[in-house]
């Protein structure tokens, strides 16, 4: 049988799988960046405590460490597997591509992660129980292992945007995939922002400290690290946007910065003012202020960052060869992969997709609507919600609620068929499939009860079958 290796499409109404992934991802990023950043804050603080013979600083490490264990490690390790589940059903072929490149990188990351988790328990438990110098070595090992997990995952995430040159497509080598064009810039952004997030959490913990001298010395120590991290992250972001492909530049300027630019600037200014204030007047740092600023900066800073990073990859989900709708866009000789767009143009998704129900493989008047819905779900719903008014760039609104099927079909046979939009896949389908999608989208835009119509048409089709 002639097939393309597609899986069933998982679609979440209104928000799509993209936002499911985004929401889990943001929580995970906040938790994991806190953990990695805090590891370095501990190492810096403990070094200072050791050099200046100021053992009271260790009490703060203990307190912050307990907070980390209860929040970051639990939330981080719940959301980590959550991301795996979500991406496996949202983008099975994207995940497949990553596994074929990076399975040993993930194995290595798991080793570092094990060291990190054992490290954090050992570090807190052994504080004051073993000699200071040995403990300091333990803390630095914990910090480096934590950063190792970040470094390894960044290689994978930045490959998702693109390898940055032709080599990888020819060689398929993990090395070419991992050390891609934007690896260092991306690592820099995350390293800077982990220090900011860990500092914000550190200030929450410090704000509860009753002993004012200790509180002041800790805050005065942390605030400049957060400021430096923030400045470094911004510099690295400016470098990062010089390492991205043309489709991402277009997406960034036409669709993302107009929405998120002011939020990002506001977050940067708020964080700078807050950390400067805390540095200058640590005694006025109250817990509600610290919690409020943490929530504000982590939500309004991390959501745009993750949203931009994910959306900028459009139309691809991995390595500029797997489209978000799971279709392979080009040949990758290094991995024995061949592009599928032309084949689908010739034979159609209905014939080639292995999970199309048999009764929908041939379009009739009685199933056109249902086929149209299914094809729109397969071809478009990874990036677009199908319901009018829905938050994930819904198609009805993008079509200005056009009710004329011919007009919609003209868009599909024009821009989409020729891949004229840099942020959308080339979706080239046989005429009958395009008509079905257009028919369905027009029915949605006309405000028809599509669900009920589909049920009625199925009933009619069954009746006809029985009559025959
Ligand atoms: C890989 C992701 C992706 C897929 C798949 C995709 N689109 Fe899009 N589409 C986008 C993006 C990104 C935009 C830019 C608009 C935005 O963010 O507002 C867009 C814009 C549009 C627009 C607005 C006009 C334009 O050209 O900018 C229409 C209409 C549209 N898409 C229809 C569709 C239909 C119908 C399908 C399926 C047959 C589809 N799209 C599949 C990502 C996608």
């Amino acid at each position: 049988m002639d097939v393309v290796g597609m899986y069933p499409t998982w679609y979440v109404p209104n928000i799509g799988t993209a936002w499911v992934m985004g929401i889990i991802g943001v929580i995970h990023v906040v938790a994991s960046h806190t953990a990695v950043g805090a590891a370095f804050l501990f190492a810096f603080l403990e070094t200072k405590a050791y050099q200046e013979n100021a053992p009271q600083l260790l009490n703060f490490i203990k307190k912050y460490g307990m907070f980390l264990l209860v929040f970051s490690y639990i939330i981080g390790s719940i959301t980590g597997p959550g991301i795996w589940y979500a991406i496996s059903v949202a983008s099975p072929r994207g995940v497949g591509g990553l596994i074929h490149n990076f399975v040993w990188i993930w194995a290595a990351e798991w080793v570092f992660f094990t060291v990190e988790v054992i490290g954090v328990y050992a570090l807190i438990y052994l504080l004051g129980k073993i000699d200071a110098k040995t403990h300091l070595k333990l803390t630095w090992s914990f910090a480096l292992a934590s950063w190792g997990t970040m470094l390894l995952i960044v290689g994978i995430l930045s490959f998702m945007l693109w390898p940055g040159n032709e080599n990888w497509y020819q060689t398929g080598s993990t090395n070419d995939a991992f050390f891609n064009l934007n690896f260092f810039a991306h690592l820099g952004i995350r390293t800077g922002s982990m220090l900011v997030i860990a500092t914000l959490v550190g200030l929450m913990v410090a704000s509860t400290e009753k002993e004012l001298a200790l509180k002041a010395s800790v805050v005065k120590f942390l605030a400049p690290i957060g400021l430096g991290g923030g400045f470094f992250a911004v510099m690295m972001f400016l470098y990062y946007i010089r390492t991205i492909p043309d489709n991402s530049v277009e997406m960034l300027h036409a669709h993302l910065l107009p929405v998120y630019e002011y939020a990002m600037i506001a977050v940067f200014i708020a964080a700078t003012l807050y950390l400067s204030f805390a540095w200058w007047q640590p005694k006025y740092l109250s817990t509600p202020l610290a919690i409020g600023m943490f929530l504000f900066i982590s939500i309004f800073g991390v959501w745009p960052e993750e949203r931009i990073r994910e959306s900028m990859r459009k139309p691809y989900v991995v390595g500029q060869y797997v489209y978000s709708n799971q279709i392979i866009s080009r040949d990758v000789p290094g991995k024995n992969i061949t592009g599928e767009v032309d084949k689908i143009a010739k034979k159609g998704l209905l014939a080639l997709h292995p999970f199309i129900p048999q009764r929908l493989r041939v379009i009739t008047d009685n199933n056109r609507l249902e086929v149209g819905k299914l094809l729109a779900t397969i071809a478009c719903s990874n990036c677009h919600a199908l319901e009018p008014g829905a938050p994930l760039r819904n198609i009805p609104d993008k079509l200005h609620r056009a009710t004329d099927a011919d007009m919609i079909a003209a868009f599909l046979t024009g821009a989409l068929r020729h891949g004229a939009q840099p942020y959308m896949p080339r979706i080239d389908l046989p005429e009958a499939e395009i008509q079905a999608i257009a028919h369905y989208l027009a029915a949605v835009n006309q405000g028809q009860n599509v669900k009920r119509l589909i049920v009625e048409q199925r009933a009619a089709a069954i009746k006809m079958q029985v009559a025959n």
Side-chain angles (χ1 to χ4, degrees):
M1 197 170 71
D2 204 6
V3 291
V4 291
M6 298 281 282
Y7 293 80
T9 302
W10 180 46
Y11 176 62
V12 178
N14 295 300
I15 56 172
T17 48
W19 278 42
V20 173
M21 187 35 231
I23 292 165
I24 304 176
V26 165
I27 299 171
H28 185 79
V29 164
V30 174
S32 60
H33 283 46
T34 306
V36 180
F40 278 88
L41 298 186
F42 292 179
F44 295 148
L45 255 180
E46 197 173 326
T47 306
K48 178 182 158 88
Y50 183 67
Q51 282 169 351
E52 298 175 6
N53 197 13
Q56 69 280 10
L57 290 176
L58 301 183
N59 292 340
F60 173 76
I61 294 182
K62 190 151 203 165
K63 211 165 164 182
Y64 193 167
M66 291 304 280
F67 183 89
L68 265 193
L69 277 184
V70 174
F71 288 97
S72 301
Y73 278 86
I74 291 180
I75 292 174
S77 34
I78 291 172
T79 48
I83 291 179
W84 268 108
Y85 288 125
I87 60 175
S88 301
V89 284
S91 186
R93 300 187 89 186
V95 170
L98 293 179
I99 289 174
H100 282 285
N101 274 296
F102 296 117
V103 67
W104 291 111
I105 302 280
W106 263 306
E109 194 212 348
W110 185 72
V111 173
F112 280 97
F113 184 64
T114 306
V115 174
E116 178 184 356
V117 174
I118 295 173
V120 72
Y121 278 89
L123 171 125
I124 296 166
Y125 180 73
L126 294 174
L127 209 57
K129 292 200 175 88
I130 56 175
D131 72 285
K133 206 166 173 182
T134 310
H135 195 276
L136 190 59
K137 281 184 194 155
L138 175 68
T139 306
W140 273 104
S141 312
F142 162 61
L144 292 176
S146 305
W147 192 64
T149 65
M150 172 180 272
L151 182 143
L152 291 171
I153 205 72
V154 162
I156 301 174
L157 290 178
S158 51
F159 169 79
M160 286 179 77
L161 181 64
W162 72 325
N165 60 50
E166 267 298 304
N167 291 355
W168 174 78
Y169 298 99
Q170 303 305 328
T171 63
S173 106
T174 302
N175 218 36
D176 288 336
F178 190 86
F179 295 105
N180 52 73
L181 187 60
N182 54 67
F183 171 71
F184 289 106
H186 193 164
L187 184 63
I189 298 179
R190 292 203 183 257
T191 302
S193 36
M194 87 191 181
L195 293 175
V196 179
I197 297 178
T199 297
L200 295 172
V201 174
L203 294 191
M204 283 200 296
V205 177
S207 71
T208 63
E209 182 59 57
K210 301 214 169 50
E211 203 186 308
L212 285 184
L214 176 60
K215 174 176 169 180
S217 71
V218 169
V219 173
K220 276 186 170 298
F221 183 75
L222 294 183
I225 296 177
L227 282 169
F231 182 72
F232 184 66
V234 170
M235 291 296 117
M236 283 293 159
F237 179 73
L238 298 178
Y239 166 31
Y240 179 76
I241 55 180
R242 312 201 69 135
T243 63
I244 61 179
D246 292 345
N247 56 306
S248 303
V249 173
E250 163 85 16
M251 196 58 200
L252 194 67
H253 289 291
H255 294 285
L256 295 168
L257 284 182
V259 181
Y260 293 118
E261 192 171 13
Y262 290 111
M264 287 166 69
I265 293 173
V267 164
F268 180 72
I269 292 174
T272 306
L273 288 178
Y274 166 59
L275 291 176
S276 308
F277 171 76
W279 192 6
W280 177 46
Q281 291 289 354
K283 60 179 181 295
Y284 291 118
L285 178 71
S286 68
T287 307
L289 173 70
I291 294 177
M293 289 308 291
F294 165 73
L295 289 177
F296 174 75
I297 296 168
S298 57
I299 294 172
F300 292 101
V302 177
W303 175 261
E305 180 273 322
E306 286 294 296
R307 186 81 215 287
I308 286 179
R309 191 179 59 72
E310 294 273 323
S311 293
M312 224 164 56
R313 284 200 308 260
K314 302 275 177 267
Y316 304 97
V317 65
V318 162
Q320 300 230 316
Y321 75 101
V322 187
Y323 280 141
S324 293
N325 60 9
Q326 307 296 296
I327 290 166
I328 306 289
S329 73
R330 58 165 284 175
D331 295 346
V332 184
K335 290 277 184 215
N336 256 335
I337 292 171
T338 42
E340 296 167 346
V341 177
D342 292 333
K343 193 164 153 186
I344 290 173
K346 211 150 86 203
K347 302 197 169 164
L349 271 176
L350 293 180
L352 293 175
H353 193 308
F355 289 95
I356 305 281
Q358 210 52 38
R359 64 188 172 79
L360 300 181
R361 286 207 191 263
V362 178
I363 300 173
T364 66
D365 285 346
N366 270 336
N367 71 13
R368 184 166 294 111
L369 196 59
E370 190 176 1
V371 170
K373 183 176 180 185
L374 181 62
L375 288 174
T377 308
I378 295 169
C380 325
S381 77
N382 249 291
C383 309
H384 290 286
L386 303 174
E387 297 79 16
L392 179 70
R393 49 174 103 80
N394 75 79
I395 297 185
D397 290 354
K398 290 282 165 208
L399 288 170
H400 307 286
R401 309 265 174 124
T403 52
D404 179 13
D406 289 341
M407 233 175 79
I408 299 173
F411 170 76
L412 294 171
T413 48
L416 274 186
R417 172 169 283 172
H418 299 107
Q421 308 290 39
Y423 43 78
M424 268 200 274
R426 185 155 83 78
I427 304 178
D428 189 350
L429 299 172
E431 200 53 38
E433 296 188 1
I434 287 192
Q435 292 301 336
I437 298 178
H439 178 67
Y440 161 72
L441 292 174
V444 171
N445 286 349
Q446 287 156 12
Q448 299 202 36
N449 189 340
V450 171
K451 239 187 205 156
R452 213 189 62 211
L453 281 173
I454 288 178
V455 172
E456 286 171 5
Q457 290 178 353
R458 256 189 97 170
I462 292 171
K463 243 187 220 159
M464 246 166 67
Q465 243 179 9
V466 174
N468 285 339

